Amino acid sequence: QVQLQESGPGLVKPSETLSLTCTVSGGSISSYYWSWIRQPPGKGLEWIGYIYYSGSTNYNPSLKSRVTISVDTSKNQFSLKLSSVTAADTAVYYCARRITMVRGGRYYYYMDVWGKGTTVTVSS
Amino acid sequence: DIQMTQSPSSLSASVGDRVTITCRASQSISSYLNWYQQKPGKAPKLLIYAASSLQSGVPSRFSGSGSGTDFTLTISSLQPEDFATYYCQQSYSTPPGFGQGTKLEIK
């Protein structure tokens, strides 16, 4: 079955760029959308954005100016870059697969497989 | 952005109880609503998608209902492993936001 694993630095300095990679194993990255979600300590979930395996993206408007999500199909990986980070970006970052289901002419979306998450702390 | 509001924010219940969690959207989202379960230190797990469809492998004691702005997640008979935080999420528009969560605790 498909598994996702986040990787990247656990500590990032303020004003620098947070960079994370999600490696997909047990299946191909092709034909799916792939998402990033984060969760600040003790708080709820925030969707960051997603990328299609072909490279098209969609970002949360609240983060759009600072976010870049990219994909490397040859490595079965996709990545997140978040620039100009502050302490407010401290969170557990999750990657997830987004499923598109068509029913009755409607398109439903949900995230069915998640990585275990990686903690990123922004501090000098 | 569509705002998702869950109630209650926390809930105490006993094993065997029937529990209902409510999620309300700030505008109509048809049936574009998902439910996730999250245990401490773990990633969220998909329970219900499209408001009422049970994800494969999820016990049948979980069910979802609703359409438009009001939705419910029901656990018919609580089991010890069900004590967790539950989140609703709308998939009607970008950004696909989550509710603030409902923490289900043991009474």
Side-chain angles (χ1 to χ4, degrees):
Chain A
Q1 69 281 21
V2 173
Q3 293 183 310
L4 308 182
Q5 178 66 60
E6 304 89 349
S7 59
L11 181 64
V12 181
K13 290 181 168 55
S15 80
E16 294 190 345
T17 296
L18 177 160
S19 296
L20 298 175
T21 295
C22 182
T23 300
V24 180
S25 59
S28 174
I29 201 167
S30 298
S31 303
Y32 288 101
Y33 288 85
W34 303 92
S35 300
W36 287 98
I37 306 97
R38 70 180 182 179
Q39 185 171 36
K43 295 188 178 181
L45 299 162
E46 181 181 30
W47 176 78
I48 298 171
Y50 66 67
I51 188 165
Y52 193 44
Y53 78 101
S54 63
S56 62
T57 56
N58 192 6
Y59 301 139
N60 190 323
S62 68
L63 298 169
K64 188 174 184 178
S65 63
R66 299 194 291 131
V67 171
T68 302
I69 299 176
S70 58
V71 64
D72 186 337
T73 55
S74 67
K75 294 182 179 179
N76 239 28
Q77 294 176 333
F78 62 105
S79 298
L80 168 70
K81 291 188 184 299
L82 182 65
S83 63
S84 304
V85 297
T86 69
D89 296 309
T90 293
V92 176
Y93 285 75
Y94 297 100
C95 57
R97 183 176 72 175
R98 190 188 89 149
I99 294 292
T100 301
M101 181 196 70
V102 183
R103 177 188 290 170
R106 295 182 174 184
Y107 289 75
Y108 295 91
Y109 309 104
Y110 52 90
M111 293 177 282
D112 70 330
V113 178
W114 295 61
K116 293 182 179 181
T118 188
T119 298
V120 178
T121 301
V122 178
S123 176
S124 56
Chain B
D1 295 4
I2 297 175
Q3 303 304 313
M4 307 301 294
T5 303
Q6 292 180 229
S7 60
S9 294
S10 63
L11 174 61
S12 294
S14 301
V15 173
D17 284 353
R18 179 183 181 89
V19 167
T20 297
I21 297 169
T22 297
C23 178
R24 175 165 289 176
S26 60
Q27 67 180 72
S28 177
I29 58 170
S30 184
S31 54
Y32 295 95
L33 193 283
N34 307 316
W35 289 98
Y36 299 87
Q37 175 195 65
Q38 186 178 35
K39 296 181 179 179
K42 301 294 187 181
K45 172 188 174 182
L46 177 68
L47 300 176
I48 302 284
Y49 61 92
S52 60
S53 294
L54 192 67
Q55 171 68 351
S56 176
V58 174
S60 59
R61 63 181 179 272
F62 291 92
S63 64
S65 64
S67 184
T69 59
D70 295 321
F71 302 86
T72 58
L73 173 70
T74 299
I75 310 172
S76 60
S77 179
L78 271 175
Q79 298 302 300
E81 60 268 30
D82 299 337
F83 292 94
T85 299
Y86 293 84
Y87 293 94
C88 61
Q89 182 217 9
Q90 64 85 9
S91 61
Y92 180 83
S93 66
T94 296
F98 295 85
Q100 82 279 15
T102 294
K103 187 173 184 179
L104 180 53
E105 299 174 306
I106 301 173
K107 183 184 287 184

